[in-house]
Amino acid sequence: MGSLPSPGWRQLKVGVIGGGIGGMSVAIALRRAGHLVTIYEKHDFAGEVGASVSCAANGTRWLHEWGVDVAKGDPVVLKSLINRDWKTGEPVSVYSLDDYEKRWGYVYNMFHRQYMHAMLKDTALGEDGEGTPAVLLVNHKCQAIDIESGLVTFSNGTTAKHELIIGADGIGSAVRGILGVHPAKKPSDSSCLHANVLTEDAVKAGLVDYSKDDALEYWGGQEGKWDKVVLSPCNGGKLLSYYCFFPREVGDYITQSWGAEDRPVEELLAPYPGLDKQVLAHLAISKEIQPWRLWVHEPYPYIQKGVVCLLGDAGHPMMPHQSQGACMAIEDAAALGILFNKDYFGGNISESLAVYQDIRLPRATRVQSAAAKAAYNINERIGFSNNKNITTYKVEDEKNKLTIEEMNAYDMYQDVKENIARRRGNSYSEGFVKGLPVGLELPSGIVSRS
């Protein structure tokens, strides 16, 4: 990495549409790259809904590179992934994370979504750290964008002009439609209710203290069915966040959104008469029971046009079953931070966005596809996909499964360097292919240059 700017580098006025986790992440990345960032949030505050959010090593590494104070997010550092028998609760498949940091350089964090957002917001807007602090404007709902000139019109009557615009406005993205991307989507065959349990309440009730496991825990998912309960500890273990999946015919929440009146606990328990009594007892004392709408999106044909690009769920919404949604948004942000930094950006926005699409769309849609498979077969889930020694192990295509090695051995800097070299007709001789090190063993074979 050089110390002098690339010839032609210039500071850009960047507009970020959406102030969630993805929007704050890209604001940090582009601030660090030397640009002036304004974040536009359609609501009267910038925040997140939900509870837990996973941040594996491929996401955590960028938080550290950007100088984010990760401790502010009060994470749980995961020590294992545990799949339990639906009825007995006995472990069926365990993937240990004991050597995770040693192998990949960073830990696997589990955050409370609101705490993670606040942590990122502080970094994006705060005075500390490299770059000019980003500006946040609320009550700015994007209405129209001239994708060539960068003129944004908001529903409050104001306009703003930017040289680069990032649509980080989530699964219902307005920017996506403005770019002409119209999702081919369908409701998932499964529904989900989310619930929170305070560890303190569980202990007082004499129930198992799952917070001591420091683990992402799953009940079910081995039988090719939609019934599955996922436990994510967060807030340093003080909160247990449950995601409860069941067939959509049992309960359909496609038309309901998060933030409405809490659902009754009886509704949460109804689909699970045969569930492990311990976790069922946890669910019986849960609070804040909310539906989570699940849609399956086909991959989008493109995620950039003119001076505008899409990021995170706006560009590649995915089912939650690989726990990679936040990481993919963070990786998108990191890619833009690299492409527009002083080492790579030579003033050509079109080229930079073309490289962004080239490196992000294939990787994100690969995870998107793997997440859809893991929805009904937990053996497809990163980590468990390495546990071939259990009797119930079976995946759709052994050579095409997603593994922890593919996710965490990826080097984005090398992917960017190789892509730009190819575009400019320059040679690239370093030991990577599309960001993966030559010699890496994957289910599909050894990574090689041939």
Side-chain angles (χ1 to χ4, degrees):
M1 302 294 287
S3 58
L4 295 175
S6 295
W9 186 89
R10 55 195 167 93
Q11 187 179 64
L12 301 177
K13 289 178 64 178
V14 180
V16 176
I17 311 299
I21 285 173
M24 291 299 166
S25 295
V26 76
I28 297 167
L30 289 171
R31 168 189 173 171
R32 294 289 187 256
H35 303 289
L36 303 176
V37 183
T38 303
I39 306 161
Y40 299 96
E41 170 56 46
K42 66 180 178 180
H43 298 298
D44 60 0
F45 71 99
E48 285 281 349
V49 296
S52 63
V53 57
S54 287
C55 194
N58 63 307
T60 296
R61 66 161 295 177
W62 299 108
L63 302 183
H64 287 283
E65 181 155 328
W66 297 333
V68 175
D69 184 353
V70 174
K72 275 188 178 180
D74 196 20
V76 170
V77 175
L78 296 181
K79 297 295 191 293
S80 61
L81 309 177
I82 303 173
N83 180 217
R84 297 182 179 276
D85 181 87
W86 181 258
K87 294 180 179 179
T88 68
E90 290 299 312
V92 175
S93 180
V94 177
Y95 186 81
S96 173
L97 303 175
D98 285 346
D99 64 345
Y100 190 86
E101 185 177 12
K102 183 179 179 181
R103 290 181 73 191
W104 308 118
Y106 302 91
V107 299
Y108 192 144
N109 286 303
M110 181 65 64
F111 293 100
H112 188 294
R113 191 172 291 269
Q114 284 93 326
Y115 280 59
M116 183 182 189
H117 181 268
M119 172 189 81
L120 294 169
K121 181 181 173 185
D122 286 350
T123 309
L125 308 184
E127 294 292 334
D128 294 339
E130 189 178 353
T132 303
V135 174
L136 171 65
L137 298 177
V138 298
N139 293 313
H140 277 67
K141 182 178 182 181
C142 178
Q143 183 173 304
I145 303 174
D146 184 318
I147 63 173
E148 298 302 330
S149 72
L151 182 67
V152 188
T153 302
F154 300 96
S155 58
N156 62 10
T158 63
T159 61
K161 193 167 184 179
H162 292 281
E163 295 154 286
L164 174 64
I165 297 167
I166 293 98
D169 50 342
I171 193 167
S173 173
V175 179
R176 182 173 59 217
I178 291 168
L179 285 188
V181 178
H182 302 291
K185 64 178 183 177
K186 64 178 182 179
S188 169
D189 290 331
S190 66
S191 289
C192 180
L193 285 173
H194 175 268
N196 286 327
V197 175
L198 293 174
T199 297
E200 182 182 13
D201 290 347
V203 172
K204 283 181 180 177
L207 303 177
V208 171
D209 182 358
Y210 290 118
S211 72
K212 292 181 177 179
D213 295 340
D214 291 331
L216 255 177
E217 308 199 41
Y218 302 76
W219 282 258
Q222 289 281 1
E223 303 85 5
K225 300 176 182 177
W226 295 108
D227 294 319
K228 182 169 64 178
V229 173
V230 184
L231 163 60
S232 308
C234 52
N235 279 153
K238 296 183 288 291
L239 184 70
L240 304 175
S241 177
Y242 282 96
Y243 295 86
C244 304
F245 300 90
F246 44 85
R248 189 154 56 91
E249 57 264 25
V250 174
D252 191 343
Y253 299 97
I254 287 300
T255 61
Q256 299 185 40
S257 60
W258 203 297
E261 187 176 345
D262 290 350
R263 310 304 302 178
V265 70
E266 293 79 15
E267 199 170 299
L268 176 66
L269 301 178
Y272 304 129
L275 180 60
D276 170 17
K277 288 183 172 55
Q278 272 292 336
V279 73
L280 200 63
H282 269 238
L283 298 181
I285 61 170
S286 64
K287 302 172 183 177
E288 301 169 322
I289 301 167
Q290 290 280 315
W292 188 7
R293 291 183 293 187
L294 299 174
W295 291 84
V296 180
H297 286 235
E298 293 297 318
Y300 301 159
Y302 57 91
I303 55 172
Q304 61 89 25
K305 186 184 286 187
V307 298
V308 184
C309 67
L310 302 174
L311 177 145
D313 282 349
H316 40 73
M318 58 188 66
M319 296 284 277
H321 304 282
Q322 292 290 359
S323 305
Q324 275 285 323
C327 284
M328 289 296 99
I330 291 169
E331 281 195 1
D332 289 347
L336 290 168
I338 294 169
L339 285 162
F340 286 95
N341 74 17
K342 294 175 183 178
D343 294 289
Y344 290 103
F345 181 52
N348 188 334
I349 293 172
S350 295
E351 179 189 59
S352 295
L353 290 184
V355 176
Y356 171 73
Q357 178 171 283
D358 275 359
I359 68 172
R360 293 308 303 151
L361 199 52
R363 182 163 163 88
T365 54
R366 173 147 170 74
V367 178
Q368 188 181 42
S369 173
K373 293 176 186 176
Y376 54 87
N377 181 0
I378 202 165
N379 299 299
E380 298 276 5
R381 202 263 185 212
I382 302 164
F384 294 130
S385 63
N386 288 47
N387 284 354
K388 296 192 290 184
N389 58 336
I390 66 168
T391 58
T392 55
Y393 176 86
K394 185 178 181 181
V395 295
E396 182 181 296
D397 180 356
E398 184 65 36
K399 290 187 176 181
N400 194 42
K401 69 182 183 181
L402 190 63
T403 64
I404 202 163
E405 289 78 16
E406 183 175 347
M407 294 309 300
N408 289 346
Y410 174 71
D411 188 318
M412 189 183 292
Y413 282 104
Q414 293 296 337
D415 201 2
V416 168
K417 189 181 291 187
E418 181 184 12
N419 193 292
I420 289 177
R422 186 178 69 249
R423 284 177 174 275
R424 296 177 181 175
N426 299 330
S427 62
Y428 173 83
S429 57
E430 299 191 41
F432 291 82
V433 176
K434 295 183 177 179
L436 294 176
V438 170
L440 179 70
E441 185 175 355
L442 297 175
S444 55
I446 304 293
V447 175
S448 67
R449 288 213 155 274
S450 58

